[in-house]
Every structure is written in C-alpha cells, then in structure tokens.
Amino acid sequence: MPHSYWQTDRVRIRAFDETDIERLIQTRNERDDNLAWLYDTISLPQTAAKIREDYTEALSTFYKDENCLLVIETLDGEYAGELQVWYTKRPEMYFIFGVYILEKFQGKGLGKDALKLLLDYYFNEKGYNKAEAHVYGFNPASQAFHAKFGFTHEGTLRGRLYSRGKANDVHIYGLLADEFNTRYDHNSWHK
C-alpha cells in the first residue's frame, strides 16, 4: 500500500469532515474542567444547530489563504486531536498554529509526529521561514511540549487573555525553518 505524505509510523493527519463536526457537537457541551482550560475562554452551552453552524463557518474560513484545520488520528483511524494554522503572513513568511492532543494520547509521540508533518509542509513545501505558537500561561503541558520540540520561548504577553476571573499571560514560542530542518532530518521519519 502506498505511504501517504500525511502520516508517520504512529499518526495520520487529515482534513475535517462532517463526521468530525458531529463528534464535536456531542462533546462540545460536555468538556471537563481540564479541557476547558485549553480554550481561550469558557463558552455558554450551545445547541447542536449552533455548534454545527459555527464549525461549518470555521471550516469555510480556515481553508482560505493557507490556513487549515486538521484532524490528528491514530493509524487505525481513532481521533487523537487537532492541528490548525490560523494565521499566515506573506511576505514576512511566518505562520501561527495550534495543536491539541486528547489526554489519553498525550506522551505517546502523536502530537510530535503530527507537528513534524505540518511544519515540514509549511517550511519545505510552502517556503515559510518561521512558526509561532501562542501558549496560554495556564497550560504548562503545552509550554513543556513546545520547549521539548525545539521551540524558543520568545516572550510573554502579560495579562493578554481574560478568563476564569483573571488576566492570564500568553507565551510566544518560535521555531525557524533551518532550526527545524537541522533538528529533524526529513528522511529519518518521513517515508
């Protein structure tokens, strides 16, 4: 069977589809306290129709320019998380992304593999020079993930996000294309 550019020996990334929207409808209003902290703010409970409308609209805007919203899944097709590039800037050649991995899949290398696929594409196919992640101060696991991956903590936007009754910091992590390519040899993980 041919090997897809969009998978490693542990993970595959693919576009969102209608079944993913239905899954989100089922889980959106049931997120636990830990998961709610991954989002910028807490939302009021919403109807299935409103959630479907929001995600359908988001999908139509995500694929404009070079933005994307992708599903991270195991090789047997189990949903493991999401990747998104929500801001691209040319001619400055940088982009801002986010990554989310379900708790049961954290620490297994799926997030790392998925991010390598995404960065390889944006750096080595699209010609971008820099990737940025904006990480909430209340998410130390994401801060550790980005540091371990090879990102540099470039600064902190103090008090940038108001949620849970207080102002929270947003940490900026950056990685340059040459840093990525030096650290991750494309041929060693991408078949």
Side-chain angles (χ1 to χ4, degrees):
M1 179 168 120
H3 184 81
S4 168
Y5 175 87
W6 299 107
Q7 80 179 46
T8 68
D9 59 350
R10 290 187 284 210
V11 70
R12 175 183 312 114
I13 59 177
R14 62 169 177 78
F16 258 65
D17 63 27
E18 187 65 28
T19 60
D20 298 307
I21 293 174
E22 295 307 313
R23 177 186 40 75
L24 290 167
I25 289 169
Q26 291 177 344
T27 61
R28 176 89 177 252
N29 292 327
E30 300 170 5
R31 296 188 190 275
D32 66 27
D33 194 48
N34 291 329
L35 185 55
W37 274 100
L38 295 174
Y39 294 88
D40 1 16
T41 58
I42 298 169
S43 300
L44 290 169
Q46 296 178 339
T47 66
K50 176 65 173 149
I51 295 168
R52 186 177 292 108
E53 177 186 325
D54 288 350
Y55 277 100
T56 301
E57 181 182 333
L59 287 176
S60 71
T61 60
F62 261 108
Y63 288 93
K64 289 182 179 173
D65 301 319
E66 293 175 308
N67 299 343
C68 64
L69 179 60
L70 303 167
V71 170
I72 301 168
E73 63 183 16
T74 64
L75 294 182
D76 61 359
E78 189 173 358
Y79 170 84
E82 301 165 16
L83 266 174
Q84 60 180 280
V85 173
W86 53 271
Y87 183 83
T88 54
K89 183 71 171 173
R90 288 186 184 263
E92 292 85 351
M93 302 309 290
Y94 76 94
F95 63 95
I96 305 172
F97 73 93
V99 59
Y100 163 68
I101 299 293
L102 286 173
E103 187 175 359
K104 76 178 195 173
F105 292 109
Q106 291 176 7
K108 299 178 188 233
L110 276 68
K112 180 179 181 179
D113 278 11
L115 186 55
K116 286 193 301 189
L117 290 169
L118 183 81
L119 295 178
D120 183 61
Y121 176 74
Y122 275 84
F123 288 149
N124 298 316
E125 294 296 323
K126 302 305 284 181
Y128 282 89
N129 185 55
K130 184 177 184 187
E132 283 185 8
H134 295 190
V135 181
Y136 304 132
F138 48 71
N139 192 347
S142 184
Q143 293 171 45
F145 170 82
H146 287 89
K148 185 175 179 181
F149 192 94
F151 282 79
T152 298
H153 180 245
E154 296 184 337
T156 301
L157 302 171
R158 298 175 303 130
R160 178 70 174 263
L161 174 71
Y162 189 85
S163 182
R164 300 272 171 120
K166 68 177 187 169
N168 296 278
D169 295 342
V170 176
H171 301 284
I172 309 299
Y173 286 83
L175 182 70
L176 300 175
D178 63 342
E179 294 169 338
F180 171 79
N181 288 319
T182 298
R183 187 175 184 119
Y184 299 104
D185 175 17
H186 173 89
N187 295 318
S188 69
W189 56 271
H190 207 288
K191 301 179 189 313

PDB file of all heavy atoms in Angstrom, residues 4 25 57 83 93 120 123 129 188:
ATOM      1  N   SER A   4       1.275   7.578   2.610  1.00  0.00           N
ATOM      2  CA  SER A   4       0.822   8.951   2.460  1.00  0.00           C
ATOM      3  C   SER A   4       1.855   9.920   3.019  1.00  0.00           C
ATOM      4  O   SER A   4       2.458   9.660   4.061  1.00  0.00           O
ATOM      5  CB  SER A   4      -0.504   9.143   3.202  1.00  0.00           C
ATOM      6  OG  SER A   4      -0.826  10.518   3.298  1.00  0.00           O
ATOM      7  N   ILE A  25     -20.166  18.175  18.129  1.00  0.00           N
ATOM      8  CA  ILE A  25     -21.479  18.511  18.678  1.00  0.00           C
ATOM      9  C   ILE A  25     -21.735  17.697  19.945  1.00  0.00           C
ATOM     10  O   ILE A  25     -22.210  18.220  20.948  1.00  0.00           O
ATOM     11  CB  ILE A  25     -22.593  18.271  17.634  1.00  0.00           C
ATOM     12  CG1 ILE A  25     -22.499  19.337  16.534  1.00  0.00           C
ATOM     13  CG2 ILE A  25     -23.976  18.253  18.276  1.00  0.00           C
ATOM     14  CD1 ILE A  25     -23.362  19.050  15.335  1.00  0.00           C
ATOM     15  N   GLU A  57     -18.988  27.201   9.419  1.00  0.00           N
ATOM     16  CA  GLU A  57     -18.435  28.514   9.059  1.00  0.00           C
ATOM     17  C   GLU A  57     -16.920  28.539   9.245  1.00  0.00           C
ATOM     18  O   GLU A  57     -16.179  29.040   8.400  1.00  0.00           O
ATOM     19  CB  GLU A  57     -19.078  29.615   9.908  1.00  0.00           C
ATOM     20  CG  GLU A  57     -18.576  30.996   9.576  1.00  0.00           C
ATOM     21  CD  GLU A  57     -19.190  32.077  10.456  1.00  0.00           C
ATOM     22  OE1 GLU A  57     -20.309  31.880  10.945  1.00  0.00           O
ATOM     23  OE2 GLU A  57     -18.528  33.116  10.641  1.00  0.00           O
ATOM     24  N   LEU A  83      -4.954  19.921  14.732  1.00  0.00           N
ATOM     25  CA  LEU A  83      -3.908  20.878  14.360  1.00  0.00           C
ATOM     26  C   LEU A  83      -4.588  21.989  13.584  1.00  0.00           C
ATOM     27  O   LEU A  83      -5.485  21.722  12.785  1.00  0.00           O
ATOM     28  CB  LEU A  83      -2.907  20.227  13.408  1.00  0.00           C
ATOM     29  CG  LEU A  83      -1.645  19.597  13.926  1.00  0.00           C
ATOM     30  CD1 LEU A  83      -0.923  18.917  12.775  1.00  0.00           C
ATOM     31  CD2 LEU A  83      -0.747  20.576  14.602  1.00  0.00           C
ATOM     32  N   MET A  93       6.573  35.689   5.790  1.00  0.00           N
ATOM     33  CA  MET A  93       6.805  34.242   5.777  1.00  0.00           C
ATOM     34  C   MET A  93       6.808  33.604   7.162  1.00  0.00           C
ATOM     35  O   MET A  93       7.680  32.819   7.506  1.00  0.00           O
ATOM     36  CB  MET A  93       8.097  33.908   5.018  1.00  0.00           C
ATOM     37  CG  MET A  93       8.094  34.400   3.576  1.00  0.00           C
ATOM     38  SD  MET A  93       6.626  33.908   2.632  1.00  0.00           S
ATOM     39  CE  MET A  93       6.891  32.168   2.466  1.00  0.00           C
ATOM     40  N   ASP A 120       6.989  20.475   8.348  1.00  0.00           N
ATOM     41  CA  ASP A 120       7.708  20.098   7.136  1.00  0.00           C
ATOM     42  C   ASP A 120       6.996  20.663   5.908  1.00  0.00           C
ATOM     43  O   ASP A 120       7.632  21.211   4.998  1.00  0.00           O
ATOM     44  CB  ASP A 120       7.815  18.576   7.036  1.00  0.00           C
ATOM     45  CG  ASP A 120       8.618  18.147   5.823  1.00  0.00           C
ATOM     46  OD1 ASP A 120       9.804  18.514   5.731  1.00  0.00           O
ATOM     47  OD2 ASP A 120       8.055  17.452   4.963  1.00  0.00           O
ATOM     48  N   PHE A 123       7.268  24.672   5.993  1.00  0.00           N
ATOM     49  CA  PHE A 123       8.643  25.128   5.783  1.00  0.00           C
ATOM     50  C   PHE A 123       9.192  24.691   4.424  1.00  0.00           C
ATOM     51  O   PHE A 123       9.754  25.501   3.689  1.00  0.00           O
ATOM     52  CB  PHE A 123       9.566  24.594   6.875  1.00  0.00           C
ATOM     53  CG  PHE A 123       9.383  25.219   8.235  1.00  0.00           C
ATOM     54  CD1 PHE A 123       9.621  24.478   9.381  1.00  0.00           C
ATOM     55  CD2 PHE A 123       8.986  26.539   8.383  1.00  0.00           C
ATOM     56  CE1 PHE A 123       9.474  25.043  10.638  1.00  0.00           C
ATOM     57  CE2 PHE A 123       8.827  27.115   9.641  1.00  0.00           C
ATOM     58  CZ  PHE A 123       9.072  26.358  10.771  1.00  0.00           C
ATOM     59  N   ASN A 129       9.312  30.649   6.761  1.00  0.00           N
ATOM     60  CA  ASN A 129      10.572  30.657   7.494  1.00  0.00           C
ATOM     61  C   ASN A 129      10.395  30.503   9.000  1.00  0.00           C
ATOM     62  O   ASN A 129      11.342  30.134   9.682  1.00  0.00           O
ATOM     63  CB  ASN A 129      11.333  31.958   7.211  1.00  0.00           C
ATOM     64  CG  ASN A 129      12.693  31.965   7.857  1.00  0.00           C
ATOM     65  OD1 ASN A 129      13.482  31.056   7.629  1.00  0.00           O
ATOM     66  ND2 ASN A 129      12.958  32.963   8.683  1.00  0.00           N
ATOM     67  N   SER A 188      14.566  10.659   7.978  1.00  0.00           N
ATOM     68  CA  SER A 188      14.568   9.683   9.052  1.00  0.00           C
ATOM     69  C   SER A 188      13.176   9.357   9.574  1.00  0.00           C
ATOM     70  O   SER A 188      12.982   8.348  10.226  1.00  0.00           O
ATOM     71  CB  SER A 188      15.449  10.173  10.212  1.00  0.00           C
ATOM     72  OG  SER A 188      14.835  11.278  10.849  1.00  0.00           O
TER      73      SER A 188
END
